[in-house]
Amino acid sequence: MLGKQAIFFHQGDYHAKLRKLVLRAFMPESIRNIVPDIESIAVSSLQSWEGKLITAYQEMKTYTFNVALLSIFGKDEVLYREDLKKCYYNLEKGYNSMPINFPGTLFHKAMKARKELAQILAKIISLRREMKINHTDLLGSFMGGAEGLSDEQIADNVIGVIFAARDTTASVLTWILKYLAENPSVLQAVTEEQEGLIKLKEDKGLNWADTKKMPITTRVIQETLRVASILSFTFREAVEDVEFNGYLIPKGWKVLPLFRNIHHSPDNFTEPEKFDPSRFEVSPKPNTFMPFGNGTHSCPGNELAKLRSWWSMMGPQNGIQYGPFALPQNGLPIKLSLRR
């Protein structure tokens, strides 16, 4: 459904080639040019939520989808946004459906949407080739130079990147809202830090991308990634016989490293169930913090926008549901008000 040429299903030279192309589009120097546009999407989203009771996770999925389209297609995405959304939303409904390709089934509808999505992508690619303009977005990276991919490979990997980035990023943002709401002192520290950066922008005309790292905000994000452990595990295969802690893992056996167990081990983090961003004032020991996986198959990119707002959680706050990623109960209903 994603496509056989997507990066997830390969290793070796082809995987290395794809990884290089994705990294090229998500390096800091490439991302910095679209930070104002990401901020604009965030501001627009916040304004549309003001005073309303919303489900944080669902709204974050919409937000991350819009950011993903911007990252992949640049400003061209505005021309195709609604068609891309319609097709992708129908496609994702079939991800966990029974693979029965019969009219009326979710799988059949998803496969139809997949073909339509590929047609839209082919149209975008064709127009870009006619215009002969170099783009620095992900699609431009896939199309560029001697390392350019075929149209089928591009379609598979564009859809794959949306799949990989959307729900996971939305989950992280939802958990950040929950943990900040439950820890007022941390929220206050983050707010003061952001206000300082805003003043710096007003006084010296600096953009977000011109500022240095934001230690408190960064630690909050890291601690959220540790506690929530959105990527709970990954799939690997033993390429040779391996002995681990007295157990033999035969060559060819499937191995699932459980990152959640690593992140919640008291051997690695004291009081692991406690949300405490200060623990990241010191870098964690190697191989104890792996929210994006590890090695050559780790996630090739991540980005976040930061804005000021107030929100309050509505309804139950302690439950957890899985869909399939761990989420606050009911997707975290909240009511949001912008700061004046």
Side-chain angles (χ1 to χ4, degrees), residues 12-305:
D13 292 342
Y14 179 65
H15 177 272
K17 174 182 177 179
L18 289 173
R19 183 175 174 80
K20 180 180 178 181
L21 295 175
V22 174
L23 283 171
R24 185 164 68 189
F26 290 136
M27 294 293 285
E29 55 268 27
S30 298
I31 294 175
R32 67 181 290 129
N33 294 324
I34 64 171
V35 167
D37 298 302
I38 295 175
E39 184 177 11
S40 178
I41 294 172
V43 170
S44 177
S45 298
L46 288 168
Q47 290 173 341
S48 71
W49 303 336
E50 184 175 10
K52 299 177 181 177
L53 175 62
I54 64 170
T55 301
Y57 177 59
Q58 292 302 322
E59 297 298 339
M60 290 303 172
K61 285 180 68 174
T62 300
Y63 166 72
T64 54
F65 186 78
N66 289 335
V67 172
L69 293 185
L70 174 67
S71 304
I72 295 168
F73 301 105
K75 295 185 178 179
D76 288 350
E77 63 91 14
V78 176
L79 302 174
Y80 307 98
R81 182 186 299 166
E82 295 309 313
D83 288 339
L84 289 166
K85 278 186 180 180
K86 180 181 178 182
C87 289
Y88 187 80
Y89 288 178
N90 285 330
L91 173 63
E92 73 170 355
K93 291 176 183 177
Y95 282 151
N96 295 317
S97 65
M98 292 293 290
I100 302 173
N101 200 6
F102 188 80
T105 64
L106 285 177
F107 184 81
H108 181 81
K109 293 177 181 177
M111 294 306 294
K112 182 180 178 181
R114 175 64 172 79
K115 291 180 181 179
E116 293 174 353
L117 196 53
Q119 291 170 355
I120 296 172
L121 293 172
K123 181 179 179 181
I124 298 172
I125 294 168
S126 177
L127 288 173
R128 284 201 176 188
R129 288 190 177 127
E130 289 179 11
M131 296 177 66
K132 297 181 179 180
I133 298 176
N134 292 325
H135 293 78
T136 58
D137 49 39
L138 182 62
L139 180 57
S141 182
F142 283 158
M143 293 177 61
E147 296 176 320
L149 305 176
S150 68
D151 288 6
E152 181 184 359
Q153 291 172 330
I154 292 173
D156 289 358
N157 283 284
V158 164
I159 295 169
V161 166
I162 296 174
F163 168 78
R166 186 172 177 237
D167 285 18
T168 52
T169 307
S171 298
V172 173
L173 292 173
T174 302
W175 281 110
I176 287 174
L177 290 178
K178 176 176 170 62
Y179 290 136
L180 286 178
E182 292 177 341
N183 295 271
S185 62
V186 178
L187 175 59
Q188 180 63 28
V190 170
T191 301
E192 291 174 357
E193 181 176 80
Q194 297 300 307
E195 288 175 341
L197 286 167
I198 290 171
K199 189 174 188 303
L200 186 65
K201 179 180 180 180
E202 292 173 346
D203 292 346
K204 299 186 178 181
L206 295 175
N207 292 318
W208 293 111
D210 297 316
T211 60
K212 295 182 180 179
K213 282 198 312 183
M214 296 162 280
I216 299 171
T217 305
T218 300
R219 292 199 297 270
V220 168
I221 295 169
Q222 289 177 317
E223 178 67 344
T224 300
L225 289 167
R226 183 195 69 81
V227 178
S229 292
I230 304 303
L231 182 64
S232 298
F233 59 87
T234 189
F235 298 92
R236 293 292 183 266
E237 180 178 315
V239 297
E240 60 183 32
D241 289 351
V242 177
E243 185 173 328
F244 180 75
N245 286 348
Y247 293 92
L248 174 65
I249 303 175
K251 177 181 178 180
W253 276 39
K254 306 302 180 184
V255 181
L256 275 67
L258 299 177
F259 299 126
R260 184 179 297 276
N261 284 13
I262 296 171
H263 294 163
H264 285 255
S265 170
D267 295 333
N268 300 327
F269 300 97
T270 57
E271 297 184 86
E273 303 305 318
K274 180 181 179 182
F275 182 79
D276 180 13
S278 68
R279 70 174 82 246
F280 282 95
E281 291 175 358
V282 178
S283 297
K285 294 182 292 184
N287 298 321
T288 62
F289 181 60
M290 296 180 283
F292 299 104
N294 201 10
T296 59
H297 286 262
S298 61
C299 178
N302 62 83
E303 58 197 81
L304 283 174

Side-chain angles (χ1 to χ4, degrees), residues 1-19:
M1 192 171 288
L2 292 177
K4 295 180 180 179
Q5 302 297 320
I7 188 171
F8 319 111
F9 311 124
H10 294 271
Q11 56 186 355
D13 292 342
Y14 179 65
H15 177 272
K17 174 182 177 179
L18 289 173
R19 183 175 174 80

Side-chain angles (χ1 to χ4, degrees), residues 320-332:
I320 297 177
Q321 67 184 58
Y322 296 87
F325 303 105
L327 294 168
Q329 190 68 39
N330 299 319
L332 190 67

